[in-house]
Amino acid sequence: MSSNPAIPEALAGALRDCQSMCVLTGSGISAESGVPTFRDAQEGLWAEYDPQELATPEAFLRDPELVWNWYRWRRRRVAEAKPNPAHLALTEFAARIPAFSLITQNVDGLHQRAGSSNVIEFHGNLFQTRCFAESCSLNVDNVDDDTSNLPRCPSCGSLARPGVVWFGEAIPPSALESAMIAASNCDMFLSIGTSSVVWPAAGLIDVAMRHGAVTVEINPNPTMESCRVAFQLAGKAGQLLPALVSLNAKGF
Ligand code: OAD
């Protein structure tokens, strides 16, 4: 019996039977760590900028200093944040469920800091830096974020860029392939804290549905997927995920 009124009994049963879980997270899972979601209004100095206009190769070419300043600000914000109960709950699922995959659209590294391993980083990582020249793309280490100098590639001398996926860029092929395999082979798919508007990540839930997975969305606000999923849990990930973990634990 599910003792949490927000969690339907049928979902509690599916959770107890779950042998293979695939989780997709978006920036909402880090909201309770104090990291603003991607489409929330930005704060302070950045309030007047639209993130979708800073996160592009064109913006970087136009004004690399502006784009680097934004990413350095985000690096500082994330470095100050700590994983929250939602990130930690996923490490519990990973320990209990025989096959578990975690795909994140987030670049903040909070899943790894919570203890998750083998995280499929769909949109790269905020703390990585690589050469902007496509012909080089070398990873650049030891970037000093406390200077106003723009980092450069030690090999070819081109400007370096944050190691994230920008609008209009392809998902890293290995991440896309691993995510497709995980979504195709799960018996339960959780979509957590994402507005489900950015493709191809937003299509992974369809892949899971077509392969017969039970689909669950956790989000305080409705999305395009809310009326299609088997279970929509309207609430915060930091409250609902620990409750789901405790239901799953009772089945083992
Ligand atoms: P969005 O900012 O689009 O959506 C965040 C979602 O989290 C919203 O639907 C919120 O309702 C929800 N949310 C807020 N607080 C929450 C909480 N405590 N618990 C659960 N959900 C909560 O962010 P994403 O969907 O992650 O990609 O955006 C997807 C991609 O868009 C980003 O990875 C980024 C951007 O394009 C790139 O930069 C390539």
Side-chain angles (χ1 to χ4, degrees):
M1 179 73 190
S2 160
S3 55
N4 187 323
I7 300 173
E9 183 53 35
L11 173 55
L15 207 50
R16 283 190 287 268
D17 294 340
C18 182
Q19 295 295 309
S20 170
M21 177 181 277
C22 177
V23 177
L24 172 69
T25 63
S27 57
I29 197 166
S30 298
E32 289 157 83
S33 294
V35 180
T37 66
F38 202 80
R39 285 172 179 75
D40 269 348
Q42 302 291 291
E43 297 164 7
L45 284 177
W46 299 102
E48 65 189 89
Y49 293 94
D50 177 353
Q52 302 207 47
E53 284 167 18
L54 291 171
T56 66
E58 293 76 22
F60 187 76
L61 279 171
R62 205 166 41 239
D63 193 343
E65 194 171 0
L66 176 75
V67 172
W68 260 117
N69 284 343
W70 185 53
Y71 278 97
R72 283 173 161 162
W73 172 77
R74 290 178 63 196
R75 283 179 176 182
R76 283 194 293 275
R77 278 299 301 266
V78 169
E80 286 161 8
K82 292 196 176 66
N84 67 52
H87 297 107
L88 295 168
L90 293 179
T91 68
E92 294 279 321
F93 273 145
R96 293 171 200 281
I97 294 178
F100 179 86
S101 305
L102 174 54
I103 307 159
T104 188
Q105 297 166 86
N106 300 345
V107 295
D108 58 27
L110 286 174
H111 286 302
Q112 291 89 334
R113 281 170 56 197
S116 287
S117 51
N118 303 322
V119 180
I120 302 170
E121 291 189 310
F122 219 65
H123 292 161
N125 189 299
L126 184 58
F127 295 96
Q128 285 167 7
T129 303
R130 68 167 191 271
C131 180
F132 184 70
E134 263 178 53
S135 54
C136 177
S137 292
L138 189 82
N139 283 335
V140 178
D141 296 326
N142 303 322
V143 171
D144 181 0
D145 282 329
D146 292 328
T147 152
S148 56
N149 296 340
L150 296 184
R152 290 199 170 265
C153 174
S155 169
C156 74
S158 301
L159 279 177
R161 56 167 283 177
V164 300
V165 175
W166 280 330
F167 287 101
E169 293 185 321
I171 304 303
S174 62
L176 186 57
E177 191 190 350
S178 308
M180 290 294 289
I181 291 171
S184 309
N185 289 290
C186 61
D187 51 49
M188 183 176 284
F189 184 97
L190 306 187
S191 173
I192 306 169
T194 176
S195 55
S196 296
V197 294
V198 175
W199 286 73
L204 291 169
I205 195 165
D206 278 316
V207 173
M209 261 181 216
R210 280 203 304 277
H211 285 84
V214 174
T215 51
V216 183
E217 180 180 67
I218 298 180
N219 196 316
N221 301 304
T223 74
M224 303 263 282
E225 298 300 333
S226 302
C227 55
R228 303 178 60 230
V229 291
F231 299 99
Q232 206 277 341
L233 304 184
K236 293 184 174 183
Q239 288 164 6
L240 287 166
L241 273 172
L244 291 181
V245 166
S246 63
L247 285 175
N248 172 262
K250 286 178 193 154
F252 284 79

